[in-house]
Amino acid sequence: MHFVLATTALVCAVAAGPLVGDPSPPLELPTLAGPVLARSQLASQVTVVDFFATWCLPCRRSIEDLGALRTALGPRLEIVIVAVEGDTAAVRAYFAQHRPPDGATVALAIGRGEIERRWGADRLPTSFFVDSGLVVRHINRGHGQGFRARAARWLSAMLEPSHGP
């Protein structure tokens, strides 16, 4: 019985993070452009926080889909790519060859592990859809068939003028 309880506690600790309807966790990270990104900068806009690594092919597809949605939905949508790569040089090299979506911010969580735990990004990619009141409205773990359509539906609803924080 003790083993079951200990295992359950460990699984819960690893998967900690916000649930749909929870406030988004802190997000203060340096960016590829230099300045530190603060969670407060995301207030009053709809944001997708996408956990990413350059070696992760589904992550690349997720970024492409989010870029297409940003083009379709316009500047009311903010995209934050949280790069969890092993080193900054790999992230710089990748984004030198593959431009991030227009208006996207690339935040560097290099070797920090705690940001992934705080957000509950237990697999890559994991995308958090955060409303203008900094509340997590949707979470998508992984990338597969239907991601773009699902994300478009969620974001369109979140960007409607009647949708409040």
Side-chain angles (χ1 to χ4, degrees), residues 33-159:
V36 171
L37 171 72
R39 176 179 171 263
S40 60
Q41 291 172 266
L42 306 179
S44 65
Q45 57 195 352
V46 171
T47 305
V48 179
V49 178
D50 190 76
F51 285 79
F52 167 91
T54 62
W55 49 263
C56 169
L57 293 178
C59 295
R60 293 177 182 188
R61 287 189 217 109
S62 178
I63 295 301
E64 290 169 8
D65 285 346
L66 291 172
L69 290 170
R70 172 68 161 61
T71 298
L73 297 170
R76 298 178 305 148
L77 172 61
E78 179 71 26
I79 299 170
V80 175
I81 302 165
V82 180
V84 296
E85 195 71 32
D87 69 276
T88 304
V91 176
R92 285 191 192 289
Y94 178 82
F95 284 109
Q97 289 187 330
H98 308 279
R99 209 173 110 216
D102 287 339
T105 300
V106 179
L108 302 168
I110 308 303
R112 294 178 180 249
E114 78 269 0
I115 196 78
E116 294 99 290
R117 284 187 296 279
R118 189 178 304 146
W119 277 77
D122 55 355
R123 72 184 70 142
L124 294 175
T126 297
S127 304
F128 295 86
F129 296 76
V130 180
D131 72 14
S132 59
L134 299 175
V135 173
V136 175
R137 293 296 172 194
H138 304 280
I139 302 170
N140 193 88
R141 297 185 193 285
H143 180 276
Q145 188 173 21
F147 172 79
R148 188 183 295 193
R150 185 172 46 257
R153 189 173 58 251
W154 291 343
L155 290 168
S156 294
M158 291 171 69
L159 289 165

